[in-house]
Amino acid sequence: MQETGIPNETQTSVVEAIIRAEKIEKYYAQPSENRIQVISATDLKIVPGEILALLGPSGSGKSTMLRMLTGLSRPSAGQVYWHEKPIGDTEINVSIVFQSFALFPWLTVLENVEAPLQARGVPPDERRERSLRMLDTVGLDGFQAAYPKELSGGMRQRVGFARALVVEPEVLFMDEPFSALDVLTAENLRSELLELWANKTMPTKAVFIVTHNIEEAVLLADRIIVLGRNPGHIRTDFRVQLAQPRDRKSEPFTQLVDYIYKVLTKPDVAPAQAPDQQAGPRVRDQRQMHYQMLPHARPGGMAGLLELLLDKGGRDDIYRLADDLAFEIDDLLPIVDAAQLLGFLKIEEGDAAITESGAEFANSEILRQKELFRDAAVKNVLLLRQIRRALETKSDHTVPEDFFLDVLDEQFSEEECLRQMETAVTWGRYAELFDFDASRRRFVLPDAQEEEVDANEEAE
Amino acid sequence: MKIQHPFARSLVTFRSWPFVIDLGVALCGLAVFFAILHMAAYWMGTPVPVVPISHSISALPLYAFYSLVRIGIAYLLSLTFAITYGYIAAYNPRLEVWMIAALDILQSIPVLSFLPPVVLAMVALIPGHQLGIEMGVILLIFTGQVWNLAFSFYSSLKSIPREMTEASRIYRYSAWQRFWQLEMPNAAIGLVWNSIVSVAGGWFALIACEMFTMGDRNFQLPGLGSYLQTATFSGDMRALFAGIAAVILIVVATDQLIWRPLIAWSDKFKFEQVESSDRVTSPILTLLQRSTLLSSIPGRIWTHIEEPIYRRMAQTKTCRIVQPLDQDTKRRSGTPGLWIAAALAILVIAWGADQAFLMLRTVSLADVRLLLLGAGATFLRVNASLLISAAWTIPVGVAIGFNPKLARIVQPVAQVMASVPATAFFPILLIGLVKLGGGLGVGSVALMLLGTQWYILFNVIAGAMSIPSDLKEAASLYRFTRWQRWTTLILPGIFPYLITGMVTASGGAWNASVFAEYSHLRHHTLQTIGLGAQIDAATDSGRFSILLLATILISLMVVTMNRLVWRRLYRLAETKYKLEG
């Protein structure tokens, strides 16, 4: 492990936690025996005096975790405690800053900030005074009569902060608060947040931030928890002991960022604690499941990545690749995953290395690329193989989408099923494995191949 | 920066003639007071089923007032009912499916079929007062207005962005605060637009049902509808035209004085990232906002009502604890009250079905055959009117839509025209037909046309305006032939709008059929073969079994058409022909 990241257990157990989660799980019951596990049993503590960052790839249940900790969503099993009392029956004092700001467009800035106080029965004069003070603190003095739509994104998120802080929350939750903003604005707001925190201008005792941006986590947090997916679980939990203000260019900083990348890009290495085996319905772990989770990437994206990789001599650090492409790592990872799934590249030590078939793919012209893609897809992707097989077997060479959705349903949530299907359609169309008739929601065999298959059948 | 005058709202001290406006507002208040007094005296008086109708033009304002009050009360009832219904449906997953299905069926039953049972029930319920008969008619208008409002409110509730709901939960909004700060604002735009359609439907029903015969009982209430009908009976053309002019005047005034200010006002409830430049403006709204009386007093009274509620709600247990979102389903299920209500509902339905069955047994086979024949004829007529409307509105609408200047003038006019009740013009049409010697078969199609075409025109114009100009440029750049332009660009481009217009129009046409296929004109009865005519004839002669069967048939046909044709086209419009920004 890194010098900067040391195990956390000894330090937090001394202080009393504000929020403590005990073996919380989230799953969705399915009609069949199975259920979809979103988050496996997890313990977590939020203690006073720290900024805690929750990092993880998309689909690792970061947001679900935040909602369970705030009482917005009840865990399927386990319990969340607020000062050692169950969160479902105590008055808690938390706020959330949302990714989409979630401001009410029909209320003015001042009314938006006043609303939470109104909900708590604060009399009008005091409400107004506290809200104005808070607007002043976040640098929106003079904008109280404006409507949110008249403001820029950064200013809107400032209103979001003012609304969150005006109730003087004990814990401030933030759900990707900066990801809807441009880089400069986000940077600016981050440093202002740190300033408020360091000067104790806000009465908040702890901050919990959900993010997919590794640098953001390392910049802000005193403690970082990395989640893994399928189902969501804690991969690692460690303290960041770099002094504030942190320098992105410094050696320890980049080392820490690198370390987290390695954790994120190698989901199978260094497993987190084993999920508790409890009585009850059987829980299927998606890693042992039948269908692979298709990363939501386009074939064109994969080709682009592989070409770039080939340019760089066939091997490069994923972090650097993302940087070169000016991509967020979260946008790049699905492409890398997809290429890996198809056997076009391998992940070694946080580096992406192109394989033989990957190199051939990157070097070919479009028609040949499609052929290679088709072979790789049929070989590696069960779902695509099944769709193709079904189309060839049926006499009219068409199969309804619902048929496969029902099969996927056993393994994925409803929303994920649709996304899986969307990706399968994109890949299948590109590979010319099948076509999809969106109006009838049916898969069909492309015309030329249909004739071919028919001819074969007749020959037999 | 986008903000030039952050304080602009608080600095509006410049006002043109505030005193006059305030005086006007005060006078309006006084007028409303006396109007209520007058109405109360009339309602609480002894019931007079047939109020004699004067043909003098000076009586028109009073009749218009009576009609307006009926529509207004029916509308307020609809709004209250719609909000309650939508609320329960949206937050009660167990009831949701049933309530939405019920809504779907109820909105396809033509209003006029309800007429006899509703009036009889109301008269029995409130005996000894004019209010009984009045309530019957008001309830009828209500049934014509309420369904789309309920549907609109329900779907607005379901479409509240998730993070907004979460924000309201984490900041522990009470149900009261959630309603006023989240749910109502979110539903406002939909409610305003649907109110326009609803009130137009209300006028349609009102004119048809202020005066009717049921068995040997006649009903005639003072109002514009009776005025128009008696004028037609007696062939008093001057009164007839004056009546129609009054209807149009009221519709235009409603549009200018109520809808446009409301639309302009509801603009602030739009979910938009930046302020759009193209907005509806309303001088009336600006005037109202400048009135000192109106801008300060209601706000102050409201605060006095609201503050104690907030303070009290903040103390309740549910408001001090963050309510989990995914618990909604579990918390509400299985309460004994729900089960009792469900059992009661089933009992009532079973009883109703039993009664209906008993009644239907009396229908003879010949009657059924006649009804089926009528259903076929009406079906053809409705579709003929749709086709004719589409045939002329598509080319005209596209031509207008492609010319933004023209569109800006014509579109509001089409909107107002859609609100003018076709039933008002029907007498003239009838007189014309009789003079020309045409039958009611053609006449009823013409009446349906009167009501339906404007919806389609209005939507086609909107569709044509929404076709992006770069697509149009591409079409001319690649020298598309006229045929190609229409098939690849224009028709697909307006398709979703066209379908929306046609769905609304088809509903209107079915409703109109009841009125259009059967009519009294100066001592003789005009009628043609059709389901609508049979409903009317059955009402006249008080044959409830025929009425029931005809209503079931018509509802069945509308529901089937919706399921088989319109819903599919809708889905097609939403998937294949959707132009995304």
Side-chain angles (χ1 to χ4, degrees):
Chain A
M1 209 168 248
Q2 215 71 24
E3 304 106 303
T4 41
I6 58 166
N8 195 28
E9 305 294 322
T10 48
Q11 295 180 14
T12 48
S13 53
V14 193
V15 203
E16 195 221 352
I18 305 175
I19 294 178
R20 183 170 65 84
E22 197 177 84
K23 296 204 171 63
I24 50 168
E25 283 183 68
K26 193 81 186 175
Y27 50 77
Y28 296 109
Q30 287 301 101
S32 58
E33 273 290 276
N34 304 320
R35 51 189 196 189
I36 290 165
Q37 191 83 13
V38 182
I39 292 177
S40 55
T42 303
D43 291 322
L44 204 153
K45 270 182 191 172
I46 299 176
V47 295
E50 66 179 17
I51 300 184
L52 173 59
L54 192 64
L55 258 175
S58 51
S60 58
K62 295 177 300 237
S63 289
T64 315
M65 192 74 95
L66 179 140
R67 274 147 187 84
M68 288 199 289
L69 291 174
T70 50
L72 277 179
S73 166
R74 187 154 296 185
S76 312
Q79 180 64 271
V80 180
Y81 297 96
W82 170 263
H83 290 295
E84 298 308 320
K85 286 190 202 111
I87 203 165
D89 19 83
T90 22
E91 187 174 341
I92 65 170
N93 191 11
V94 300
S95 291
I96 301 181
V97 174
F98 293 93
Q99 179 176 14
S100 66
F101 320 136
L103 299 175
F104 298 100
W106 38 82
L107 300 183
T108 62
V109 167
L110 183 65
E111 286 165 344
N112 262 299
V113 179
E114 271 188 30
L117 293 176
Q118 206 171 4
R120 294 180 185 205
V122 177
D125 293 337
E126 188 189 337
R127 219 156 64 199
R128 167 166 291 253
E129 192 215 339
R130 277 170 69 178
S131 305
L132 284 175
R133 204 156 7 113
M134 195 43 75
L135 281 173
D136 196 26
T137 311
V138 299
L140 282 176
D141 196 15
F143 286 101
Q144 55 268 44
Y147 283 97
K149 65 181 163 201
E150 296 169 297
L151 304 179
S152 66
M155 288 165 92
R156 260 182 261 172
Q157 193 56 299
R158 279 169 198 266
V159 182
F161 273 109
R163 181 176 67 174
L165 292 174
V166 80
V167 295
E168 310 194 332
E170 246 184 281
V171 185
L172 174 66
F173 285 88
M174 296 192 274
D175 187 11
E176 310 243 1
F178 307 115
S179 56
L181 306 172
D182 65 88
V183 184
L184 279 178
T185 312
E187 189 65 43
N188 207 353
L189 271 181
R190 269 196 288 267
S191 60
E192 279 182 44
L193 173 74
L194 278 176
E195 213 168 293
L196 287 179
W197 172 251
N199 298 342
K200 302 264 181 279
T201 322
M202 50 188 194
T204 304
K205 293 197 188 127
V207 176
F208 183 99
I209 176 170
V210 163
T211 177
H212 65 259
N213 183 332
I214 299 177
E215 274 194 58
E216 180 171 289
V218 178
L219 264 175
L220 293 176
D222 301 313
R223 187 178 141 209
I224 295 178
I225 294 176
V226 180
L227 288 187
R229 63 178 158 198
N230 298 337
H233 59 281
I234 294 187
R235 301 277 311 285
T236 157
D237 175 349
F238 58 91
R239 226 152 227 296
V240 182
Q241 291 177 322
L242 307 170
Q244 292 281 9
R246 292 172 186 164
D247 177 11
R248 284 165 191 271
K249 299 265 162 33
S250 73
E251 184 70 5
F253 191 99
T254 50
Q255 272 179 0
L256 193 53
V257 170
D258 239 25
Y259 162 72
I260 299 174
Y261 268 116
K262 272 182 203 148
V263 176
L264 278 176
T265 46
K266 286 192 290 188
D268 301 323
V269 190
Q273 77 260 47
D276 281 22
Q277 294 299 321
Q278 289 182 330
R282 194 163 53 93
V283 180
R284 265 215 253 166
D285 185 329
Q286 290 200 3
R287 273 167 291 187
Q288 300 150 11
M289 274 180 196
H290 215 41
Y291 291 99
Q292 310 96 321
M293 171 105 146
L294 299 185
H296 307 290
R298 290 169 189 283
M302 283 181 244
L305 174 73
L306 290 171
E307 278 163 31
L308 180 73
L309 207 53
L310 206 61
D311 264 3
K312 302 214 166 209
R315 187 187 181 93
D316 203 3
D317 185 48
I318 298 178
Y319 179 36
R320 213 154 35 233
L321 277 173
D323 227 25
D324 286 348
L325 294 165
F327 268 22
E328 287 285 348
I329 191 73
D330 216 43
D331 297 332
L332 185 65
L333 277 183
I335 306 180
V336 174
D337 284 352
Q340 193 185 6
L341 174 66
L342 292 171
F344 289 152
L345 60 75
K346 280 196 202 122
I347 303 288
E348 291 159 359
E349 304 276 309
D351 281 359
I354 199 161
T355 60
E356 215 172 296
S357 60
E360 193 188 352
F361 180 76
N363 274 326
S364 305
E365 43 75 48
I366 179 78
L367 288 178
R368 176 71 188 140
Q369 270 188 347
K370 285 191 172 206
E371 250 170 64
L372 289 168
F373 191 91
R374 181 155 63 228
D375 295 342
V378 172
K379 190 172 145 212
N380 295 306
V381 184
L382 176 65
L383 178 60
L384 292 177
R385 196 155 62 227
Q386 284 186 339
I387 296 176
R388 176 70 188 194
R389 176 81 54 84
L391 287 174
E392 281 172 2
T393 344
K394 268 195 77 183
S395 58
D396 61 350
H397 304 312
T398 122
V399 182
E401 179 192 30
D402 285 342
F403 178 73
F404 295 104
L405 278 177
D406 284 347
V407 186
L408 286 177
D409 206 28
E410 302 263 302
Q411 273 178 230
F412 302 105
S413 68
E414 199 178 324
E415 204 180 320
E416 187 55 45
C417 277
L418 293 175
R419 285 175 54 188
Q420 286 291 315
M421 199 49 90
E422 201 181 308
T423 308
V425 167
T426 315
W427 289 14
R429 274 179 169 161
Y430 175 82
E432 292 171 14
L433 275 170
F434 50 77
D435 209 343
F436 184 68
D437 182 342
S439 57
R440 290 190 302 148
R441 308 302 299 173
R442 290 178 85 92
F443 291 102
V444 288
L445 214 52
D447 297 337
Q449 296 177 24
E450 199 170 305
E451 282 158 24
E452 200 177 297
V453 173
D454 283 339
N456 288 342
E457 276 168 11
E458 274 161 37
E460 282 162 21
Chain B
M1 273 284 103
K2 275 169 206 138
I3 304 129
Q4 284 142 356
H5 313 287
F7 281 120
R9 256 167 287 276
S10 53
L11 285 181
V12 191
T13 44
F14 165 79
R15 287 203 247 103
S16 40
W17 10 279
F19 175 70
V20 182
I21 302 167
D22 286 349
L23 198 67
V25 170
L27 284 177
C28 285
L30 212 62
V32 168
F33 176 72
F34 282 109
I36 292 174
L37 274 190
H38 179 87
M39 221 50 210
Y42 161 64
W43 275 356
M44 290 304 154
T46 45
V48 186
V50 180
V51 178
I53 299 290
S54 149
H55 281 185
S56 92
I57 289 175
S58 60
L60 260 180
L62 186 65
Y63 291 150
F65 166 69
Y66 281 131
S67 293
L68 267 177
V69 169
R70 273 177 213 126
I71 293 230
I73 291 175
Y75 171 71
L76 288 181
L77 279 179
S78 311
L79 198 62
T80 322
F81 178 86
I83 288 173
T84 321
Y85 195 94
Y87 215 86
I88 297 173
Y91 288 120
N92 220 325
R94 262 168 204 251
L95 292 180
E96 184 174 359
V97 191
W98 293 99
M99 291 180 79
I100 295 312
L103 206 60
D104 200 35
I105 292 172
L106 283 171
Q107 70 177 343
S108 33
I109 299 177
V111 188
L112 295 181
S113 303
F114 285 124
L115 186 69
V118 168
V119 173
L120 285 184
M122 275 299 146
V123 171
L125 218 62
I126 315 173
H129 292 297
Q130 182 71 3
L131 187 63
I133 306 170
E134 284 284 343
M135 275 323 271
V137 172
I138 286 173
L139 260 185
L140 213 69
I141 304 171
F142 163 87
T143 54
Q145 293 183 329
V146 71
W147 314 120
N148 61 331
L149 282 176
F151 212 81
S152 156
F153 190 69
Y154 163 79
S155 49
S156 306
L157 286 186
K158 293 301 264 187
S159 69
I160 295 176
R162 196 183 158 77
E163 290 203 331
M164 298 275 235
T165 315
E166 286 176 346
S168 76
R169 290 287 170 107
I170 202 76
Y171 294 120
R172 308 197 314 237
Y173 278 24
S174 54
W176 173 263
Q177 190 172 11
R178 217 170 54 221
F179 183 74
W180 290 109
Q181 292 192 351
L182 179 64
E183 288 153 351
M184 265 319 253
N186 196 60
I189 296 184
L191 281 182
V192 169
W193 285 101
N194 277 287
S195 295
I196 300 179
V197 177
S198 275
V199 170
W203 273 107
F204 186 95
L206 174 104
I207 290 187
C209 68
E210 271 180 353
M211 185 180 153
F212 57 94
T213 317
M214 189 163 54
D216 49 356
R217 299 175 71 175
N218 281 312
F219 291 95
Q220 184 170 315
L221 298 171
L224 279 177
S226 318
Y227 183 88
L228 285 175
Q229 287 194 40
T230 47
T232 319
F233 277 153
S234 57
D236 185 346
M237 293 307 276
R238 203 176 62 99
L240 184 57
F241 279 111
I244 291 174
V247 172
I248 295 178
L249 195 73
I250 290 175
V251 168
V252 172
T254 322
D255 182 68
Q256 286 299 314
L257 294 178
I258 298 177
W259 300 135
R260 276 186 79 82
L262 269 180
I263 292 169
W265 170 77
S266 69
D267 200 63
K268 73 172 185 175
F269 300 119
K270 252 186 208 159
F271 272 105
E272 51 185 7
Q273 295 304 306
V274 280
E275 209 156 358
S276 58
S277 52
D278 195 24
R279 302 172 58 175
V280 178
T281 53
S282 162
I284 303 288
L285 181 67
T286 326
L287 272 184
L288 285 179
Q289 282 169 337
R290 283 186 190 167
S291 154
T292 349
L293 259 178
L294 276 188
S295 60
S296 62
I297 288 182
R300 229 173 278 164
I301 294 173
W302 186 237
T303 319
H304 276 289
I305 300 171
E306 230 184 5
E307 281 309 322
I309 297 178
Y310 277 120
R311 231 165 297 149
R312 190 145 323 146
M313 293 292 254
Q315 300 306 317
T316 57
K317 189 166 184 290
T318 42
C319 282
R320 291 177 32 193
I321 289 162
V322 173
Q323 303 294 329
L325 281 168
D326 43 10
Q327 286 290 298
D328 287 6
T329 45
K330 286 175 201 159
R331 195 154 35 96
R332 285 201 177 82
S333 65
T335 49
L338 193 76
W339 289 114
I340 293 170
L344 274 179
I346 288 171
L347 275 179
V348 169
I349 290 170
W351 179 78
D354 183 51
Q355 291 292 311
F357 182 70
L358 282 179
M359 205 181 238
L360 288 183
R361 282 223 316 240
T362 61
V363 179
S364 72
L365 207 63
D367 282 336
V368 174
R369 200 169 304 143
L370 202 65
L371 277 176
L372 285 178
L373 193 69
T378 305
F379 178 79
L380 287 180
R381 238 169 253 139
V382 166
N383 287 313
S385 79
L386 279 185
L387 279 181
I388 297 173
S389 309
W392 82 264
T393 51
I394 291 176
V396 172
V398 168
I400 295 171
F402 276 6
N403 182 344
K405 251 187 207 162
L406 193 62
R408 214 158 294 150
I409 301 164
V410 176
Q411 211 183 12
V413 175
Q415 197 189 326
V416 172
M417 287 306 285
S419 309
V420 175
T423 33
F425 290 110
F426 196 45
I428 301 191
L429 208 75
L430 268 183
I431 292 169
L433 274 174
V434 169
K435 286 223 169 98
L436 290 173
L440 201 56
V442 184
S444 57
V445 174
L447 179 79
M448 288 178 196
L449 267 182
L450 271 183
T452 56
Q453 55 197 356
W454 303 111
Y455 284 119
I456 305 184
L457 180 66
F458 179 67
N459 277 290
V460 169
I461 295 177
M465 282 168 79
S466 77
I467 295 177
S469 57
D470 43 359
L471 286 188
K472 282 190 260 178
E473 278 159 17
S476 58
L477 194 67
Y478 296 121
R479 305 227 179 94
F480 278 20
T481 60
R482 179 174 289 252
W483 172 252
Q484 260 180 319
R485 261 170 72 91
W486 275 93
T487 51
T488 58
L489 175 68
I490 299 171
L491 287 180
I494 62 170
F495 188 76
Y497 293 85
L498 186 64
I499 294 302
T500 312
M502 298 267 269
V503 171
T504 323
S506 116
W510 278 106
N511 226 338
S513 72
V514 179
F515 189 71
E517 291 171 350
Y518 184 92
S519 181
H520 298 281
L521 188 72
R522 255 197 280 181
H523 312 305
H524 49 227
T525 307
L526 285 176
Q527 67 168 319
T528 176
I529 292 180
L531 208 50
Q534 276 146 355
I535 288 180
D536 266 346
T539 311
D540 269 7
S541 54
R543 295 185 60 193
F544 287 118
S545 52
I546 299 281
L547 185 66
L548 180 66
L549 191 59
T551 308
I552 292 176
L553 260 180
I554 217 169
S555 310
L556 216 61
M557 280 167 75
V558 175
V559 172
T560 325
M561 277 294 279
N562 280 346
R563 285 278 148 85
L564 289 186
V565 182
W566 297 120
R567 196 164 293 179
R568 282 182 191 191
L569 288 175
Y570 231 87
R571 201 167 300 155
L572 191 66
E574 277 195 342
T575 50
K576 193 171 173 188
Y577 295 114
K578 194 171 180 185
L579 279 170
E580 265 150 330

